[in-house]
Amino acid sequence: MKLWQGMLSGELNQKAEEFNASFAIDQRMICQDIDGSIAHATMLGKTGILLQNDVEQIITGLQEIKGDLKNNLLKLDPQAEDVHTFIENELTKRIGEAGKKLHTARSRNDQVATDLRLNLRSEIAQITELLQDYIMAMCSLAEQNLTTIMPGYTHLQAAQPITLAHHLSAYCMMALRDLERLADCRKRLNQSPLGACALAGTSYPIDRQLTAELLNFESVMQNSMDAVSDRDFILELNGVLAIIAIHLSRQAEELIIWSSQPYSFIRIADEFSTGSSIMPQKKNPDMAELIRGKSGRVLGNLIQSLTMIKGLPLAYAKDMQEDKESIFDSVDTVKICLEIMANILLSLTINQDQMLHATELGYLAATDLADYLVKKGIPFRDAHHMIAQLVGIADKEGKTLAELPLEVYREISRSFEEDIFEVIDMKNIVNAKNSFGGPAPAEVERQIAWIKQKLQAFSI
Ligand code: ARG
């Protein structure tokens, strides 16, 4: 039965009926819909709005439905308009008259807002855990690679030597901020709209504080119009998820580049790679590519939800039914991407020799050579020019800086001495970069300890 049949006569057009229905999508909130109804019914009993006998029947009926759901015995009605309609009809089917009283002092408008907040609150808890696992995976890989030297890039041009641990620590910092963003978003989401009714509250003596407490909301939303119209929490969560997806996409892109033949810095495990149906030699980083590719849909979902809400006058409008598919899709997408990325990282093979070799081929000691001359009293600008000349010579001869004899150095500047070969040693360069936040192994060890401590102290 339609909950809204009331004054409308005649049947809804068949296509319109399908168009209007949202059960296929909002059945995902079935547990939260039942929990919200149990809290609402409890409150109706406590305030004397409903008789205790009715309330008991309602709650028992709802608990039975929940039990059947858990045991896979609940038969879903594909014709149901939405999850709220389905549960109310199912309840009335089971307990009769009392079921029809559940919707006293409530509207689907505050109901749907409540369900969504409860549902997304539990998703945030799961995403938080996945983010924590992902950060721990990066920490453990970083700890094994504190001294794994590799080129750091700017403009994707080899710039200065860093370590793989330093690189991973950077992604940990982003993911830590993502964790905080999630927790922050949760604060505003964790407020109860229940009792706002359609938009204008109610003249029944309801107790909004009680339902909020029963549902573990932190507070009651102050304004009933806002409570049913607000979808900020969806926009915000979509935004946070888009940032996470974009961070993952950047990292996926690097894994793809690093695993390509010219780089060969890493090998992605076979269990996260595919072959080609035509080229037998191929090993493709499909999972990393999918993580990169799926960031597009998460970004699209953010734009969808912003656009959906942008012209809506207060309070509820049916446009808002369109808020669910995209946020659920983003939630699912980010969850699987986080899990896959953590596992790709944990099963990576690191080609340390190749990484080190790339620093030498890329003349990554050039800046340190210039600094060497500066320490001998040569102005930086001149030193920069001299080292550019030196790199030019090495490049022409197809040699690394370490392979050039001291004479060549001294032709450029008499200030170069035997110790120059110590200076251009990548390990020495990295060890010397011990400024706060830099790549020196001891400093990155500090960063990782800091990340782990942050993780441990983190709670939502
Ligand atoms: N299925 C609807 C939604 O998701 C529930 C709220 C319906 N409210 C209404 N006034 N028609 O938005």
Side-chain angles (χ1 to χ4, degrees), residues 131-146:
L131 257 171
Q132 287 167 323
D133 292 348
Y134 161 63
I135 295 172
M136 281 311 290
M138 288 197 282
C139 283
S140 91
L141 188 59
E143 279 164 339
Q144 294 156 33
N145 288 282
L146 284 166

Side-chain angles (χ1 to χ4, degrees), residues 32-306:
Q32 291 81 22
D33 195 76
I34 296 171
D35 291 344
S37 287
I38 291 175
H40 180 65
T42 307
M43 182 277 289
L44 292 177
K46 285 251 158 71
T47 50
I49 298 170
L50 286 192
L51 292 175
Q52 208 51 45
N53 179 39
D54 286 331
V55 171
E56 272 160 30
Q57 287 186 59
I58 291 173
I59 293 180
T60 311
L62 287 169
Q63 267 157 356
E64 273 173 24
I65 298 177
K66 206 168 160 184
D68 285 356
L69 179 73
K70 277 213 179 99
N71 298 322
N72 249 330
L73 296 171
L74 186 66
K75 214 172 122 1
L76 299 180
D77 171 12
Q79 307 299 325
E81 180 180 326
D82 57 23
V83 66
H84 328 294
T85 311
F86 171 73
I87 292 294
E88 190 177 321
N89 286 344
E90 181 69 24
L91 180 69
T92 306
K93 223 164 61 191
R94 292 182 183 214
I95 67 167
E97 280 303 296
K100 297 195 220 155
K101 299 182 181 171
L102 170 63
H103 212 52
T104 313
R106 187 176 71 172
S107 153
R108 277 186 298 164
N109 296 350
D110 57 340
Q111 194 179 354
V112 71
T114 305
D115 291 6
L116 254 176
R117 283 169 188 266
L118 292 175
N119 182 280
L120 294 177
R121 189 177 68 188
S122 111
E123 295 290 7
I124 286 177
Q126 292 173 48
I127 299 168
T128 297
E129 263 183 45
L130 289 166
L131 257 171
Q132 287 167 323
D133 292 348
Y134 161 63
I135 295 172
M136 281 311 290
M138 288 197 282
C139 283
S140 91
L141 188 59
E143 279 164 339
Q144 294 156 33
N145 288 282
L146 284 166
T147 56
T148 304
I149 292 168
M150 64 176 290
Y153 297 86
T154 62
H155 312 268
L156 197 55
Q157 303 289 326
Q160 289 185 317
I162 53 154
T163 66
L164 179 57
H166 189 224
H167 200 110
L168 287 163
S169 164
Y171 277 105
C172 287
M173 302 301 170
M174 299 182 213
L176 273 180
R177 288 193 296 272
D178 292 338
L179 262 186
E180 284 170 9
R181 268 184 277 270
L182 265 183
D184 199 44
C185 164
R186 184 186 187 275
K187 269 191 254 162
R188 283 176 288 278
L189 174 145
N190 198 21
Q191 300 177 349
S192 177
L194 195 57
C197 304
L199 75 164
T202 177
S203 52
Y204 288 103
I206 57 170
D207 184 347
R208 292 191 60 201
Q209 192 59 43
L210 176 60
T211 47
E213 277 163 24
L214 290 171
L215 295 169
N216 284 322
F217 280 120
E218 219 159 85
S219 58
V220 174
M221 292 185 79
Q222 294 285 328
N223 178 298
S224 62
M225 297 273 283
D226 177 48
V228 292
S229 305
D230 169 31
R231 291 295 182 273
D232 297 8
F233 64 100
I234 292 193
L235 307 183
E236 237 184 307
L237 184 56
N238 258 323
V240 175
L241 294 174
I243 295 175
I244 298 175
I246 295 301
H247 286 161
L248 289 173
S249 178
R250 291 183 79 175
Q251 190 170 40
E253 166 73 358
E254 290 189 325
L255 296 181
I256 293 161
I257 295 174
W258 294 355
S259 64
S260 69
Q261 280 85 357
Y263 280 76
S264 298
F265 287 179
I266 55 168
R267 235 183 82 94
I268 295 178
D270 285 358
E271 50 174 337
F272 295 106
S273 310
T274 63
S276 156
S277 55
I278 171 169
M279 298 162 282
Q281 86 285 8
K282 286 295 285 291
K283 182 170 168 219
N284 299 326
D286 289 36
M287 306 311 140
E289 288 166 312
L290 279 170
I291 292 173
R292 184 178 59 184
K294 281 178 188 288
S295 65
R297 63 198 285 164
V298 181
L299 204 56
N301 289 336
L302 168 62
I303 301 300
Q304 182 276 339
S305 61
L306 286 165

Side-chain angles (χ1 to χ4, degrees), residues 116 120 234 237-238 241 323-331:
L116 254 176
L120 294 177
I234 292 193
L237 184 56
N238 258 323
L241 294 174
D323 59 4
K324 292 168 206 66
E325 198 169 357
S326 55
I327 189 70
F328 291 158
D329 181 63
S330 286
V331 161

